[in-house]
Amino acid sequence: FFSPPHSFPLPMGHTIEFQDEGELMFYILAGWVAPAVGVLTSNLLYLSSLKKVRQARVLRALGTLDPIALTMQFINTLAWIAYALVTHDQFLFASNALRCILALFYVVSLLELSVSSGKLEVRGKVEIMFLSAVTALVGEIFLVSMVLKEPESKELVAGILCTATTTLMYCAPLLNLMRVFREKTASLLHPPLVLTSLTNGTVWVCYGLFALKDPWVWVPQSLGVTASLAQLVAIIIFYKSDKRRRLGLAKLEQVDDLRVDHLLQEYSKNAPNSAPLPMD
């Protein structure tokens, strides 16, 4: 059917040579299907925190929110957006644009909640991380737009920042695993979220390794795959013994849902023309 070799377009303006239909299908899967799935799973992962953040805003308390992890997510999306702009990669940009907006909303919420909860030390940590990220981003923009001329040098600077922020972001779940095995419970790990994270990391590794052949993409994402696999192993090991704890956490979540519904109803009665959330 084909008379080899043929060219096939890939993102970032790259093309590849294929010899047969099987090789073509491989590059379609790695170069288009995998990153398209990655865009979906990346945004789903960040949307998963929206419910808890909105509940915290209504209850005016940090609750179980992890300020460091949420702030690192914002920093990481900034780094990947910068890399996407440097490399002109539409998939990387699409997977981080909405995430960046959501993560910024989470950071703004954390700053307000830390004040209303009386935890000013949390606000201080978030502010330091936020300002450090913006400073690093401004420095990167200056380098890639005014100092560096070669595309390879620009990718190097942006890639180093991506690798550093992704490594720091995945340090938290890896460190939490030590606590999981020490306390012999993985009840706080959510299997659907872990599986989504594993899928997300896997498709980006495939995209970076086989389609782009770009270590700045697949190497940091492989850390996410490692973290997700370790979490999945912990869930399997402690799943039976965690059954009672998981039921208890589910009941607590139901109680929080009822509290939020009650507060929203009371707020809508007292201030029908105001914003739906007390902090909006």
Side-chain angles (χ1 to χ4, degrees):
F1 183 74
F2 293 110
S3 55
H6 283 273
S7 297
F8 184 76
L10 289 174
M12 297 168 55
H14 297 314
T15 59
I16 54 96
E17 299 289 336
F18 63 92
Q19 300 295 326
D20 53 41
E21 292 182 75
E23 192 173 0
L24 173 61
M25 288 303 300
F26 173 79
Y27 282 114
I28 290 176
L29 290 173
W32 293 97
V33 177
V37 174
V39 170
L40 176 63
T41 55
S42 296
N43 287 301
L44 286 176
L45 285 172
Y46 274 50
L47 282 168
S48 65
S49 301
L50 183 60
K51 179 182 177 181
K52 284 189 175 182
V53 173
R54 286 176 60 84
Q55 284 184 339
R57 287 168 63 91
V58 175
L59 298 174
R60 304 181 73 83
L62 285 171
T64 59
L65 294 180
D66 188 338
I68 304 301
L70 291 175
T71 307
M72 276 306 308
Q73 289 177 4
F74 171 69
I75 295 172
N76 188 244
T77 57
L78 282 182
W80 280 109
I81 285 177
Y83 188 78
L85 294 175
V86 168
T87 58
H88 307 286
D89 191 302
Q90 65 268 33
F91 286 118
L92 289 177
F93 182 82
S95 68
N96 286 279
L98 176 61
R99 294 166 66 193
C100 185
I101 297 171
L102 283 171
L104 180 58
F105 170 71
Y106 298 159
V107 170
V108 171
S109 299
L110 288 172
L111 291 172
E112 181 64 28
L113 288 169
S114 62
V115 175
S116 61
S117 302
K119 298 181 179 180
L120 298 183
E121 71 282 0
V122 173
R123 186 184 71 172
K125 292 178 182 179
V126 172
E127 287 176 339
I128 291 173
M129 294 175 66
F130 182 86
L131 293 174
S132 299
V134 172
T135 302
L137 182 63
V138 170
E140 180 183 344
I141 293 173
F142 173 75
L143 287 174
V144 300
S145 62
M146 298 185 180
V147 178
L148 302 175
K149 303 299 181 184
E150 297 296 327
E152 293 79 7
S153 300
K154 296 179 180 182
E155 289 185 20
L156 175 64
V157 172
I160 289 174
L161 186 61
C162 282
T163 301
T165 57
T166 304
T167 301
L168 290 173
M169 188 178 70
Y170 285 127
C171 279
L174 289 174
L175 290 175
N176 286 338
L177 280 174
M178 298 174 62
R179 178 184 175 185
V180 167
F181 284 99
R182 184 173 64 252
E183 298 180 357
K184 296 182 179 180
T185 176
S187 56
L188 294 178
L189 299 178
H190 300 280
L193 193 61
V194 172
L195 288 173
T196 304
S197 180
L198 177 60
T199 302
N200 181 68
T202 301
V203 294
W204 286 117
V205 168
C206 291
Y207 177 58
L209 183 61
F210 300 117
L212 302 181
K213 296 179 173 57
D214 185 352
W216 296 119
V217 174
W218 70 264
V219 170
Q221 294 300 331
S222 64
L223 297 175
V225 174
T226 302
S228 298
L229 284 173
Q231 290 176 329
L232 189 60
V233 170
I235 290 173
I236 294 173
I237 292 175
F238 300 115
Y239 190 79
K240 289 185 178 180
S241 60
D242 281 342
K243 185 176 181 180
R244 182 174 296 178
R245 291 195 180 193
R246 290 186 184 278
L247 291 174
L249 290 173
K251 290 181 179 179
L252 289 176
E253 289 182 0
Q254 292 176 353
V255 171
D256 285 340
D257 289 341
L258 292 174
R259 290 178 61 196
V260 169
D261 290 341
H262 175 71
L263 286 173
L264 288 176
Q265 290 176 3
E266 291 295 321
Y267 184 73
S268 61
K269 290 179 182 178
N270 297 329
N273 297 322
S274 301
L277 296 177
M279 289 176 57
D280 287 348

